[in-house]
Amino acid sequence: MNHFRNIDLNLLIYLDALLRERNVTRAAEQLNITQPAMSNGLKRLRNLLNDPLLVRTSEGMVPTERALSMQKQVRQILYSVEEVIQPSRTFTAESSERVFRIMVSDYAASTLMSPLLKALRDQAPQVTIDLMTPSDVSFHDVENGKVDIAINRFDDLPQSFHQKNLWSDDFTCLIHHEHPLIQEYSLENYLAAQHCWVSKTGFGVGIGMTPDAVQKLGWVDEALAKIGHQRRIRVFTRNYHVAMHLAREGLIVTLPTRAAKLYADNPDLVLRKPPFPIPAIDLQMIWSPLLQHDEGHRWFRQLVADVAAESFN
């Protein structure tokens, strides 16, 4: 205990940021402190633990074996401390004026937000929703509780996140009713047509796409590659409504069925199942351990899950 009294617990916060960023400058920016202060913190950590913790290499700062072994424990300690000191807030949905920040993909925003807002009008009419795009948010924002939940399809997630599958969705083609493909609907004619690509998963700013980068193109093109084919993509977009509008201009749009059904009543468009198998995708909701026991957050994520389940039926 005497040794423990000499430890500045802020050093654990510094260590957590350093191990996540692996860069002194970025870690300092994340904690809103100066770079010299972070460098001094790293020096104190090295003296305290008798380990260099981060070693400079040609590829940047690399954690030592001991630092990596501590990373998960340090994060859990900080979560526990945050939960202990976090003020207890009573939540009453009917009168709450809380703002819930959601990182939501365009696909999820198009298909889930309308029924969610209807449920909020009925149950929590003064609650405000702040919708953010994947490009607005990082893993750190969700992990630190700055964003209440993120709704998207995620390929990789930190183990610390809580998550729940909201639904699974298959795929549908949107085709202009006068397109020749309608008359002779086959894989051969599908491949001969011109297509619009639409997708956005995970976090961060999107990257430029090229038709030959099959390994980066996602669901539809990976499924085609498995059977030895490639479609002719003429437009890349991250916006589902843009893609669905372009279907009216003659491009073939293959996208999750729930999004396609938003245009089911459009007389210009026909919905068809793809002429080849595409694995279903899962829409996931994730949130920080810091918010796991928050009363209002529990209520809100249950509402999202209930709305997703009801709209699926």
Side-chain angles (χ1 to χ4, degrees), residues 184-257:
E184 296 185 31
Y185 193 68
S186 66
L187 176 59
E188 180 181 1
N189 290 335
Y190 173 93
L191 296 173
Q194 296 190 350
H195 295 258
C196 176
W197 174 97
V198 57
S199 180
K200 185 69 177 82
T201 63
F203 291 93
V205 178
I207 60 173
M209 305 300 297
T210 60
D212 294 330
V214 174
Q215 70 277 12
K216 297 180 181 179
L217 293 181
W219 316 307
V220 177
D221 297 280
E222 288 177 359
L224 277 173
K226 287 181 179 179
I227 59 174
H229 293 292
Q230 185 174 353
R231 59 180 174 163
R232 300 166 63 195
I233 299 172
R234 289 294 171 263
V235 175
F236 292 92
T237 181
R238 283 79 180 163
N239 187 294
Y240 279 78
H241 285 288
V242 168
M244 290 184 275
H245 175 75
L246 291 175
R248 299 173 62 186
E249 302 301 320
L251 294 181
I252 308 302
V253 181
T254 307
L255 71 172
T257 297

Side-chain angles (χ1 to χ4, degrees), residues 21 29 72 99 114 125 131 150 166 241 305:
E21 296 294 341
E29 290 174 350
K72 184 176 180 180
V99 176
S114 180
L131 297 181
L166 295 179
H241 285 288

Side-chain angles (χ1 to χ4, degrees), residues 97-105 109 113 116-117 120 126-134 136-137 141-142 145-151 300 304:
E97 297 181 355
R98 184 162 170 177
V99 176
F100 288 100
R101 291 181 172 83
I102 311 174
M103 187 288 279
V104 61
S105 67
M113 288 303 107
L116 177 61
L117 290 176
L120 284 171
Q126 298 181 72
V127 160
T128 299
I129 300 296
D130 181 9
L131 297 181
M132 310 175 80
T133 72
D136 298 327
V137 175
D141 295 326
V142 179
K146 294 179 181 179
V147 176
D148 288 285
I149 59 175
I151 302 175
F300 183 66
V304 172

Side-chain angles (χ1 to χ4, degrees), residues 151-166:
I151 302 175
N152 204 341
R153 178 183 180 271
F154 302 100
D155 294 323
D156 297 297
L157 286 173
Q159 292 183 351
S160 58
F161 283 2
H162 293 279
Q163 59 183 289
K164 180 178 180 61
N165 280 357
L166 295 179

Side-chain angles (χ1 to χ4, degrees), residues 256-277:
T257 297
R258 287 193 175 209
K261 284 184 176 179
L262 296 174
Y263 282 66
D265 295 330
N266 189 307
D268 292 335
L269 298 175
V270 175
L271 279 65
R272 290 285 180 87
K273 288 297 179 185
F276 59 98

